DNA sequence: CGTTGTGAACGTCTTCACAGCA
DNA sequence: TGCTGTGAAGACGTTCACAACG
């Protein structure tokens, strides 16, 4: 099968690096918090600390968007919020459907972080006839039979899959056939999609496994080799979690 | 704020690259599926397809673990499952606590992917007194007041935070003070932790925002510039989601 | 002969360090 | 003077392509 490059073959020098795109939501969140506290301007140093990255990286990231700062001063908070929102496409309304309303699907339906970012849960879909009509997060669950109609009626282009692994590919195929071109997959399966469709995956157990790997290493160091030891009290604001590997990462923000 | 290097300063040539570590769980999942179908051996090409990566990358990844394949034949499925499990530290039992038993916390408690990978939900903790004693996923919820005692009694070193954003840092501080050294954070906040503590974050709305970015670009291309057009029917198994910026990486230390 | 394991080339991301500007 | 914006250097990750070997 194809390699699964991360989007745009390589062409287009006008493109914003993927690594930068993945951090924009982080900056946006920090900026929104500053905006709510009515902070007018912020330096790259301050904003970087709030977002959990270093300032050089942040300035480099912003340089891909344009020159939105003022030397000697910093960035205008409101203006940056707008520019990043626009770049991310959050100034428009994105109707999304969530398929698979189990524990996770229900949690996603109730998640406030979606609505606050221009995402609107247009419909909840489940294969269990007993669920049909029941309201979850104030939205009545609809049956899988109507999936195609729902996608079309609501002009949905983003779908969230929260079904068991066994149903994911089938649901994915139907979503894509109905016109969905972006999928957020919570099922522990590799989805196969046609070119032009983006998939991001979030796998809860993968994250834990990565933590276990590092945890295991720590245990093997007991008596710390170097001076300081594990009791050093410096604080980090680390957000970096390194490369993903592919999905990598959905990381929800 | 600190730089947030991806772990181990740079020392140790014996280290496995973070990008590789992040993919090991993917390989493990694919191998487990093969194992259940009693497939004895698999080639890098086949396994790569099942895991959604390309075969060169897979072989390179495995080369960091050792020479576990047989030229002309492929890899022994059972043997690889064992080696990867060991490398990830999954041959031991990891008791974890989940703090914040709302919709998401409950979904995590019910998530089967944990138990099947050596992770044991040792306790569920919530700040709401009304929740205390109520069973979720068969485990009685305990009150936050007992957090330190619970961590100690169960020898917990991995904690999952599924609280609202406002409570996350405080919970994090208490977990760390009680001895937790790895944290999986679902709250949309940048956690500040001492050196030696790993944090990985999963942010649901960030993933959607990244999808929205690409979705927006697609819309701006309507009439495809190049020959093929968006209707090309080749299938990908794409898993790549590019760099995270956050998710993907543990980082800390 | 087929497939692994890997050096080398290449591309991407991060960090440094400082020129340029308000 | 202070902070942004960025070229250049370096670290890291991916892909190529083929020698090595069962």
């Amino acid at each position: 099968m194809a390699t699964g490059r991360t989007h745009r073959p390589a062409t287009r020098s006008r493109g914003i690096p993927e690594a930068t795109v993945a951090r924009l939501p982080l900056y946006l969140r920090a900026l929104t918090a500053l905006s709510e506290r009515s902070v007018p301007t912020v330096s790259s140093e301050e904003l970087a600390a709030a977002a959990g990255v270093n300032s050089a990286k942040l300035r480099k990231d912003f340089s891909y968007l344009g020159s939105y700062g003022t030397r000697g001063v910093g960035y205008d908070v409101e203006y940056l919020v707008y520019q990043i929102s626009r770049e991310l496409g959050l100034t428009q309304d994105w109707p999304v459907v969530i398929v698979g309303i189990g524990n996770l699907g229900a949690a996603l339906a109730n998640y406030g972080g979606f609505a606050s970012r221009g995402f609107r849960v247009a419909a909840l879909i489940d294969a269990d006839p007993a669920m049909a009509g029941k309201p979850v997060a104030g939205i009545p669950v609809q049956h899988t039979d109507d999936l195609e109609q729902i996608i079309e009626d609501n002009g949905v282009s983003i779908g969230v899959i929260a079904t068991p692994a066994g149903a994911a590919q089938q649901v994915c195929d139907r979503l894509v056939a109905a016109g969905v071109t972006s999928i957020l997959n919570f099922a522990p399966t590799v989805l196969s999609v046609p070119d032009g469709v983006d998939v991001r995956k979030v796998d809860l157990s993968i994250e834990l496994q990565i933590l276990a790997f590092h945890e295991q290493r720590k245990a093997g160091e007991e008596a710390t080799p170097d001076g300081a030891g594990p009791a050093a009290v410096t604080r980090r604001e680390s957000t970096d979690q390194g490369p993903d590997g592919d999905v990598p990462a959905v990381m929800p923000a």
Side-chain angles (χ1 to χ4, degrees), chain A:
Chain A
M1 52 120 274
T3 37
R5 211 170 296 92
T6 301
H7 217 245
R8 304 283 111 206
T11 335
R12 169 167 324 220
S13 60
R14 189 70 208 81
I16 298 175
E18 268 301 309
T20 294
V21 172
R23 280 187 295 266
L24 292 182
L26 237 52
Y27 301 142
L28 186 54
R29 191 170 74 196
L31 285 164
T32 302
L34 291 172
S35 174
E36 280 164 5
R37 291 197 285 125
S38 299
V39 177
T41 61
V42 66
S43 69
S44 65
E45 201 67 52
E46 294 165 327
L47 183 53
V53 304
N54 72 51
S55 62
K57 197 185 283 185
L58 177 143
R59 288 199 302 277
K60 189 61 129 183
D61 284 341
F62 286 0
S63 79
Y64 293 116
L65 309 183
S67 286
Y68 296 150
T70 305
R71 292 166 202 248
V73 179
Y75 301 91
D76 181 281
V77 172
E78 295 301 331
Y79 187 59
L80 251 194
V81 165
Y82 172 72
Q83 290 298 344
I84 294 179
S85 294
R86 194 176 49 80
E87 199 64 60
L88 284 172
L90 304 181
T91 51
Q92 64 185 278
D93 180 72
W94 292 104
V96 304
V97 293
I98 300 174
V99 186
I101 313 302
N103 274 295
L104 181 58
L108 294 172
N110 278 290
Y111 183 51
F114 291 169
S116 69
R117 287 275 172 282
F119 298 101
R120 180 170 48 84
V121 179
L124 302 180
I125 302 175
D126 198 279
D128 182 359
M131 292 283 297
K134 283 192 181 177
V136 170
I139 302 166
V141 175
Q142 297 180 266
H143 191 266
T144 316
D145 287 348
D146 304 322
L147 188 145
E148 287 77 8
Q149 194 63 53
I150 295 168
I151 299 293
E152 186 178 335
D153 290 351
N154 294 278
V156 173
S157 55
I158 301 178
V160 177
I161 297 179
T163 65
Q169 183 64 60
Q170 196 181 345
V171 166
C172 174
D173 289 345
R174 291 182 62 185
L175 286 173
V176 171
V180 167
T181 46
S182 287
I183 290 176
L184 181 51
N185 180 32
F186 285 88
T189 318
V190 174
L191 293 179
S192 164
V193 295
D195 258 21
V197 175
D198 283 343
V199 177
R200 290 191 70 86
K201 65 170 183 285
V202 177
D203 189 314
L204 309 174
S205 92
I206 282 181
E207 298 301 321
L208 273 185
Q209 290 174 61
I210 296 171
L211 284 175
F213 172 84
H214 293 296
E215 194 61 38
Q216 181 180 229
R217 298 256 147 154
K218 291 176 198 166
E221 281 164 15
E222 296 307 61
T224 43
D226 52 279
V233 208
T234 43
R235 282 222 158 206
R236 278 169 316 128
E237 291 264 313
S238 177
T239 298
D240 281 359
Q241 19 196 59
D244 292 348
D246 60 61
V247 176
V250 173
M251 263 250 35

